Amino acid sequence: MVERKIINIVYNDAKTSVDTASYLKTKLIQLGFEIAVDFSYDAELIICIGGDGSFLGALHKYNFPDIPIIGINTGHLGFFAEVNPDEIDSFLEKYVSGDYFIEELSPIEATICTRNNCIEARGINEIVIKGDKSRTIHMTISVNNHLIQKFSGDGILVATSTGSTAYNYSVGGSLVDPKLNIVQVTPLAPINTNAYRSFTSSVIFPTETIIKVNPEYRFENSIVLVSDGVEHRYAGITEVSLQLSELKVKMLRLKDFNFWSKVIQKFL
Ligand code: NAP
């Protein structure tokens, strides 16, 4: 039986993305690949065309599939993307000859418990817990069941190493080399006065750390969770428990990939 080599191509509706997808499909079919009509969980690769927003959207839409993924950047920044549209031919040559490696990235997972039930949320960049309607949020933060502090401010951002270059960086968090699989908690506008004491720098924890947040309500339902830019509101949240996921996002990296070159190219 001939082995089916299925590829998922996911793209946004920008003209450059549609044109890039069309070129890519033609090339892949010439190389003997089959392009999934609908998303296939049996595919050997996902190629995501767009910017980081499209990449994040694809991961969430298909529930963090256990399939290697690579991005082609037709968006703004494209930090996740590895290939530009004019590099498709050389990318395919490298892919077919196995000139790549898989980098496993750990998402952050939150178990959000309300008075009635618990719900899961996941982010490859970060999960933000913040005050709704511009209110100050007050919450206790525990690390591995040790109370660390009572935090007051706009909220906290819990980032993965992958997300260190995203929102985390804009709010003063540290850039993290992806070889370190850590959790970074960065405060958002912490209040540090005689009335309230909150940590003012980001704090970095090892891989297996469990961070628990218990909101103290002064206004009912006054917190909101944001995972990779998508807001979640649940009534009466009593506890949010966060830790790195055991599930991995399998980034397909070309052999010459270098994280710090990318930081220089995109940020400096
Ligand atoms: P968005 O407009 O989709 O993204 C905001 C910017 O963040 C875009 O330029 C995006 O790149 C870039 N980005 C996303 N992930 C990145 C990463 N891992 N490293 C470096 N840059 C990254 O915003 P959204 O839909 O609200 O949220 C999506 C993500 O954007 C969130 O996960 C969050 O990390 C980030 N964000 C940043 C800020 C901020 O910096 N103030 C505020 C909100 C959200 P593209 O241009 O290629 O899409």
Side-chain angles (χ1 to χ4, degrees):
M1 204 171 82
V2 182
E3 193 198 346
R4 292 172 72 205
K5 300 190 296 176
I6 306 170
I7 308 260
N8 288 308
I9 303 180
V10 181
Y11 52 99
N12 61 25
D13 52 13
K15 185 174 181 315
T16 43
S17 303
V18 176
D19 292 348
T20 303
S22 162
Y23 180 78
L24 184 64
K25 276 180 199 170
T26 309
K27 286 284 171 180
L28 283 166
I29 290 165
Q30 283 169 3
L31 290 167
F33 291 97
E34 183 180 327
I35 312 303
V37 179
D38 297 315
F39 189 89
S40 166
Y41 286 89
D42 294 325
E44 62 175 53
L45 179 67
I46 303 164
I47 304 177
C48 182
I49 304 170
D52 292 328
S54 306
F55 189 93
L56 295 170
L59 282 185
H60 283 266
K61 180 171 180 189
Y62 300 110
N63 205 16
F64 291 70
D66 186 28
I67 305 171
I69 181 165
I70 189 162
I72 298 182
N73 184 29
T74 57
H76 291 135
L77 183 72
F79 201 83
F80 281 105
E82 178 107 16
V83 178
N84 287 320
D86 60 358
E87 296 167 338
I88 287 177
D89 291 357
S90 73
F91 155 60
L92 291 177
E93 231 170 80
K94 288 175 189 167
Y95 182 64
V96 169
S97 49
D99 209 6
Y100 61 81
F101 64 99
I102 301 293
E103 183 182 43
E104 294 194 334
L105 310 179
S106 300
I108 183 89
E109 273 178 359
T111 305
I112 306 148
C113 292
T114 68
R115 294 184 193 110
N116 304 318
N117 61 348
C118 293
I119 312 109
E120 307 286 326
R122 196 182 284 146
I124 186 63
N125 276 341
E126 77 286 298
I127 292 180
V128 179
I129 303 173
K130 62 177 193 170
D132 199 4
K133 302 189 182 103
S134 306
R135 299 262 193 213
T136 304
I137 179 174
H138 306 274
M139 55 193 173
T140 55
I141 301 175
S142 308
V143 174
N144 296 333
N145 283 328
H146 295 285
L147 177 66
I148 298 293
Q149 72 161 199
K150 196 165 148 183
F151 174 91
S152 297
D154 281 4
I156 58 166
L157 184 154
V158 184
T160 62
S161 300
T162 309
S164 72
T165 52
Y167 195 2
N168 171 71
Y169 184 58
S170 305
V171 291
S174 296
L175 295 179
V176 177
D177 190 302
K179 291 190 182 72
L180 297 171
N181 196 24
I182 56 86
V183 186
Q184 181 168 187
V185 179
T186 303
L188 304 174
I191 304 181
N192 205 20
T193 61
N194 288 341
Y196 300 110
R197 287 271 169 239
S198 309
F199 60 96
T200 54
S201 72
S202 70
V203 186
I204 292 178
F205 297 101
T207 311
E208 284 172 7
T209 307
I210 300 174
I211 294 157
K212 280 191 183 151
V213 171
N214 297 90
E216 181 191 293
Y217 286 113
R218 308 216 174 157
F219 303 95
E220 192 58 13
N221 303 330
S222 55
I223 67 168
V224 59
L225 268 88
V226 191
S227 63
D228 293 343
V230 177
E231 288 190 348
H232 306 272
R233 284 186 171 77
Y234 305 103
I237 294 175
T238 51
E239 183 168 277
V240 182
S241 175
L242 301 116
Q243 69 185 117
L244 289 178
S245 176
E246 284 177 8
L247 173 156
K248 305 287 177 207
V249 170
K250 295 180 171 168
M251 291 295 293
L252 188 123
R253 301 290 195 197
L254 300 178
K255 284 259 169 74
D256 53 2
F257 173 80
N258 180 285
F259 171 76
W260 292 105
S261 304
K262 182 155 248 189
V263 169
I264 292 164
Q265 179 200 347
K266 299 286 183 183
F267 286 12
L268 304 176

